[in-house]
C-alpha cells in the first residue's frame, strides 16, 4: 500500500475551529493561495506541525501557536462575527513557496456591539502544497478598539 505524503488525517468538520462566523477569513486566504495549496478548506491546507506567529502587540494575546490542532482549538474561541473580507493582494516571493497576502476583514464584535474592520498582512510558507509557517501582522489598534467597551466619564 502506498501513502501520499500530502495526505493528513481527516479533519472533524464539527470542530469548533470550523466557525461559519470566520468563513470570510477562511475564504479570502484560500482565494489568495489558490493553486498553491491542497484542500477545500483553510484547515485542510495546513500541515499538522505548522507554526503560526502573530506579530501583534495585544496584552494577553499569544505570539506563537505550534501545530494545526492547537490553532484550531484557539480559533474555536474566536469571537468576531465576520460578514466579509476584501481588498486581497497577493505577492509571491522569488523564493518558491512564500506568498504574502494583504487583505481586510469586516464584521462585528458581539461583546461590544462594535464594527470590526481590520487589515492583515500574512506571510505564508508552503511546502508540499501545505502551509508550514504563517507570520501574521494586523492593525492592532483596530482590534483593540473594536474589542474594548466604551468608557464613560
Amino acid at each position: 500500500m502506498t501513502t501520499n505524503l500530502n495526505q493528513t488525517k481527516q479533519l472533524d468538520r464539527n470542530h469548533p475551529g470550523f466557525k461559519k462566523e470566520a468563513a470570510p477569513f477562511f475564504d479570502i486566504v484560500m482565494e489568495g493561495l489558490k493553486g498553491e495549496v491542497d484542500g477545500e478548506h483553510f484547515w485542510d491546507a495546513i500541515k499538522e506541525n505548522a507554526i503560526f506567529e502573530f506579530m501583534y502587540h495585544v496584552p494577553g494575546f499569544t505570539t506563537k501557536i505550534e501545530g494545526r490542532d492547537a490553532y484550531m482549538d484557539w480559533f474555536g474561541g474566536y469571537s468576531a462575527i465576520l460578514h466579509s473580507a476584501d481588498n486581497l493582494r497577493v505577492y509571491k516571493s522569488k523564493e518558491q513557496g512564500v506568498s504574502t497576502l494583504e487583505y481586510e476583514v469586516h464584521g462585528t464584535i458581539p461583546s461590544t456591539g462594535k464594527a470590526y474592520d481590520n487589515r492583515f498582512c500574512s506571510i505564508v510558507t508552503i511546502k508540499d502544497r501545505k502551509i508550514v509557517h504563517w507570520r501574521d501582522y494586523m492593525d492592532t489598534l483596530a482590534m483593540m478598539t473594536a474589542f474594548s467597551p466604551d468608557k464613560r466619564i
Side-chain angles (χ1 to χ4, degrees), residues 63-126:
T63 58
K64 186 176 185 180
I65 296 176
E66 297 186 33
R68 180 189 61 210
D69 292 346
Y71 191 32
M72 285 178 70
D73 290 344
W74 176 89
F75 221 96
Y78 183 75
S79 62
I81 298 173
L82 302 180
H83 56 73
S84 64
D86 55 23
N87 293 319
L88 176 65
R89 292 180 185 91
V90 179
Y91 308 95
K92 297 188 191 251
S93 172
K94 290 181 182 179
E95 176 185 331
Q96 187 176 353
V98 178
S99 293
T100 301
L101 309 177
E102 289 185 87
Y103 52 95
E104 297 178 21
V105 299
H106 311 284
T108 58
I109 306 302
S111 63
T112 64
K114 292 182 179 180
Y116 178 58
D117 296 291
N118 207 337
R119 297 172 297 210
F120 291 84
C121 178
S122 302
I123 302 167
V124 184
T125 303
I126 300 164

Side-chain angles (χ1 to χ4, degrees), residues 1-2 25 27 42-43 68 81 87 98 117 131 143:
M1 178 179 194
T2 59
F25 163 75
D27 294 345
F42 174 75
W43 298 120
R68 180 189 61 210
I81 298 173
N87 293 319
V98 178
D117 296 291
I131 297 167
M143 196 257 316

Side-chain angles (χ1 to χ4, degrees), residues 33 36-37 97-99 124-132:
L33 298 177
E36 303 292 323
V37 296
V98 178
S99 293
V124 184
T125 303
I126 300 164
K127 289 194 171 124
D128 298 324
R129 301 190 57 78
K130 293 289 183 191
I131 297 167
V132 296

Side-chain angles (χ1 to χ4, degrees), residues 53-65 71 74 78 136 138 143:
E53 294 182 286
F54 307 97
M55 311 312 283
Y56 310 161
H57 298 285
V58 179
F61 193 93
T62 188
T63 58
K64 186 176 185 180
I65 296 176
Y71 191 32
W74 176 89
Y78 183 75
D136 214 35
M138 75 164 170
M143 196 257 316

Side-chain angles (χ1 to χ4, degrees), residues 16-28:
F18 280 86
K19 298 180 80 83
K20 67 178 177 164
E21 299 86 356
F25 163 75
F26 298 139
D27 294 345
I28 202 161

